[in-house]
Amino acid sequence: MQHTARARDAGLACGTLPTGELNSIADVPGVRVGHRTLVHGEIRTGVTAVVPHGGNLYREKPMAAVHVLNGFGKSAGLMQVEELGTIETPILLTNTLTVGTCCTALVRHAIEHNSDIGRETATVNPVVFECNDGYLNDIQTLAVTEGDARAALANASSRFDVGSVGAGCGMSTFGFKGGIGTSSRRLDLDGQSFHLGVLVLSNFGRAGDLRLPGGRVVAPPEAERERPATEKGSIIIIAATDIPLSDRQLKRVIRRSGVGLARLGTFWGHGSGDIALGFTTANVLSHDEKAALVDIRILNEDRIDLLFEAMADSTQEAVLDALVAAGTMTGRSGHYRPALTDTLSLIGPVTS
């Protein structure tokens, strides 16, 4: 990551569990994130790629689950994840109108590495999530190309930028500039250290509703004059862990992302698309498995509260991470979003 300010630099830590070394989704071994950011003219958009492991994802599929808090969204690939409990491509994040372009890029990428797709074996299920960046970005230009999606995949690394980058370039949160944020928690089980990490594409929340740790409500300048009657926007939450979980357990864990969002002051309005996906790198199913029965390790559910807590805290902090890192932005038709950090500097230090 670049030396961009992050949530903890602004005193916005959440919970008491320890973070991973990077305080990032990439604290889960093998997970990488890449961006392609597009800023020119009135374009403020991009693509973010989350790569669960370094192997062939179509051949070695991590167990996964999806949870929809509010389904005002156009994401792709969720139905098969819900049904089969696995993912088989990297995960792409982008704006609402370029989901199809990113799907095509993922299909081409999978076929390049698996020439039997759709011929000798099954087709492939690309997973693409979206948020509407049309306030700051001229979304009608369909600026994102397959090449941009491929560039995000090629740029994937364990160290990556947050804020107004990749898919987060044109996003807004609680009336401030939003974007990409991340956080993680280190969890000790049976004498071993594991991680749960979260990455968000944050583009939700009504201006004037943001609650910081400790309960203080913060509003951007002019919030009372501009505050909409309804909450619109979306947030995508991607969770990764190296703890062995079943897809049912993953769904239980990622549901707790809603706790973290609620602490921030949102209520998942009618026009909001709020969706979580989680995967584990500890349980991977082979596409070419020959055995009729396979062994899978799962967590003793008497210990699952620890993961619930980690999920809530990491989601809350990841959103604050995006807000702190994003800075200010002027975009389409002169539309402007202020930085949360500028408002915090005017009202004094944060106390938790």
Side-chain angles (χ1 to χ4, degrees):
M1 293 180 182
Q2 294 180 348
H3 296 295
T4 305
R6 300 189 61 199
R8 295 199 169 213
D9 298 323
L12 299 175
C14 300
T16 59
L17 294 173
T19 71
E21 180 182 356
L22 300 173
N23 194 13
S24 153
I25 193 172
D27 283 313
V28 178
V31 175
R32 295 170 293 128
V33 175
H35 303 297
R36 173 69 163 175
T37 307
L38 304 177
V39 178
H40 55 85
E42 295 203 326
I43 303 302
R44 306 285 187 276
T45 194
V47 185
T48 294
V50 180
V51 183
H53 64 64
N56 185 326
L57 283 158
Y58 183 77
R59 270 19 240 207
E60 302 294 330
K61 309 174 196 291
M63 279 195 169
V66 172
H67 179 63
V68 178
L69 289 90
N70 194 69
F72 199 103
K74 288 80 180 171
S75 297
L78 307 190
M79 181 168 61
Q80 183 168 310
V81 177
E82 176 71 18
E83 184 68 22
L84 301 186
T86 61
I87 53 174
E88 57 189 26
T89 70
I91 300 154
L92 292 184
L93 314 177
T94 190
N95 75 60
T96 306
L97 297 188
T98 53
V99 170
T101 300
C102 288
C103 281
T104 301
L106 284 177
V107 170
R108 293 190 198 279
H109 181 264
I111 289 172
E112 285 176 12
H113 295 88
N114 304 274
S115 60
D116 55 345
I117 285 176
R119 291 181 175 173
E120 292 82 33
T121 192
T123 56
V124 64
N125 182 55
V127 176
V128 181
F129 290 97
E130 55 79 25
C131 292
N132 184 349
D133 58 12
Y135 182 76
L136 291 171
N137 172 50
D138 187 356
I139 197 169
Q140 290 187 359
T141 62
L142 307 180
V144 172
T145 66
E146 288 183 45
D148 295 321
R150 298 295 292 268
L153 290 167
N155 292 335
S157 171
S158 61
R159 294 180 179 270
F160 57 92
D161 296 337
V162 292
S164 296
V165 291
C169 180
M171 303 298 174
S172 306
T173 300
F174 291 106
F176 296 102
K177 182 67 188 69
I180 297 288
T182 191
S183 188
S184 72
R185 296 296 180 269
R186 191 185 76 243
L187 307 172
D188 294 325
L189 298 166
D190 292 341
Q192 298 180 67
S193 287
F194 298 90
H195 291 86
L196 185 146
V198 169
L199 180 140
V200 298
L201 176 60
S202 183
N203 188 57
F204 75 109
R206 189 170 59 180
D209 285 354
L210 175 61
R211 281 183 189 278
L212 302 181
R216 184 169 63 178
V217 177
V218 179
E222 310 295 332
E224 289 304 316
R225 180 171 61 83
E226 297 180 358
R227 187 180 186 188
T230 58
E231 182 183 17
K232 296 182 179 180
S234 298
I235 181 168
I236 303 302
I237 305 118
I238 307 298
T241 187
D242 54 351
I243 298 171
L245 301 173
S246 68
D247 58 318
R248 182 188 62 80
Q249 290 178 321
L250 278 164
K251 182 180 281 287
R252 294 193 70 201
V253 171
I254 63 176
R255 281 188 188 131
R256 271 61 185 188
S257 62
V259 177
L261 299 182
R263 289 174 184 167
L264 292 160
T266 186
F267 52 86
W268 317 313
H270 165 68
S272 189
D274 311 303
I275 305 170
L277 179 144
F279 63 85
T280 174
T281 60
N283 281 334
V284 176
L285 300 183
S286 172
H287 181 80
D288 303 302
E289 180 63 61
K290 302 302 182 186
L293 301 173
V294 295
D295 293 327
I296 296 291
R297 285 204 310 157
I298 64 171
L299 179 73
N300 176 352
E301 292 202 355
D302 286 341
R303 310 291 180 86
I304 204 167
D305 276 357
L306 185 63
L307 279 71
F308 291 170
E309 181 180 359
M311 187 72 207
D313 292 348
S314 294
T315 302
Q316 180 187 12
E317 188 168 322
V319 172
L320 295 169
D321 201 53
L323 282 161
V324 169
T328 63
M329 182 172 283
T330 301
R332 179 183 65 83
S333 301
H335 291 172
Y336 173 77
R337 291 298 190 203
L340 173 63
T341 50
D342 290 345
T343 296
L344 293 181
S345 68
L346 294 174
I347 61 178
V350 176
T351 57
S352 58

